[in-house]
Amino acid sequence: PTLTSPSVEKARKCLMLLPHSPAVQQELDIINAAKQLPSMGVSILPRQLKRLAHKLEVVEAVVECHPAPYKDSHRVTQLAEALGLHSVEEVLRVRLLLASRASRDGEMRHAFQILGELVDAGYAPAWELAYQVASDRHSDLGPGLEGAREEALAFAVAHCPDASLLPLVGALRQLERKRGATE
């Protein structure tokens, strides 16, 4: 069967007849998530989706296959929630995937905006991306994000492993000197 198969719609209708419960809602969420996936560049049947042990892999596939997932980040986040990725850690991991993709695509404004959420949440695994995007001197961030590079580097310094500390402190000092010279 395919997602447009009558059996998928029949299963959804049968679930709607049952009394509402977390288990029924989870099944409906899986069907709805599976129906969203083709428009995001990934196709998988609800029963295959249900069997996946690591639902984050589906979100990773969407982030890779979607032409610009960071521009549709609300929808990607909703998909993650429909897949059962509800914990703060899982939501922040999805946000990190989106910021990383924006950075790879050269969409630095999007990368910094999403990274700002990660920094505000104190999400330590984002330190490497923070360093990477702050070090990209070729991108113009535009109005409203003037201090974003310095903030990202400071976050990276605060959360990086000891082995990476020295180059990051050097980069932060260099950025501070540059900012001081332009003021």
Side-chain angles (χ1 to χ4, degrees), residues 56 59 73-74 76-82 84-99 114 117-118 121 123:
L56 187 61
V59 177
S73 66
H74 182 69
V76 174
T77 302
Q78 283 181 326
L79 172 69
E81 289 174 0
L85 303 172
H86 299 288
S87 75
V88 171
E89 173 71 24
E90 291 166 328
V91 171
L92 291 173
R93 175 76 179 125
V94 169
R95 303 302 290 163
L96 180 58
L97 290 170
L98 291 166
I114 298 170
E117 296 170 21
L118 298 169
Y123 187 60

Side-chain angles (χ1 to χ4, degrees), residues 91-157:
V91 171
L92 291 173
R93 175 76 179 125
V94 169
R95 303 302 290 163
L96 180 58
L97 290 170
L98 291 166
S100 296
R101 174 65 192 276
S103 174
R104 275 197 323 272
D105 287 358
E107 293 283 347
M108 301 313 282
R109 187 162 184 78
H110 286 285
F112 268 105
Q113 286 174 335
I114 298 170
L115 181 63
E117 296 170 21
L118 298 169
V119 167
D120 290 345
Y123 187 60
W127 79 265
E128 205 165 7
L129 179 65
Y131 174 60
Q132 178 189 349
V133 297
S135 299
D136 183 356
R137 299 177 203 345
H138 303 293
S139 61
D140 176 25
L141 300 179
L145 291 174
E146 295 84 6
R149 281 189 211 287
E150 196 170 318
E151 183 180 349
L153 267 177
F155 177 82
V157 166

Side-chain angles (χ1 to χ4, degrees), residues 1 4 21 25 42 48-49 62 71 75 90 97-99 107 154:
T4 57
S21 72
Q25 188 59 51
V42 176
Q48 295 167 319
L49 190 55
V62 165
K71 291 181 180 177
R75 192 164 163 229
E90 291 166 328
L97 290 170
L98 291 166
E107 293 283 347

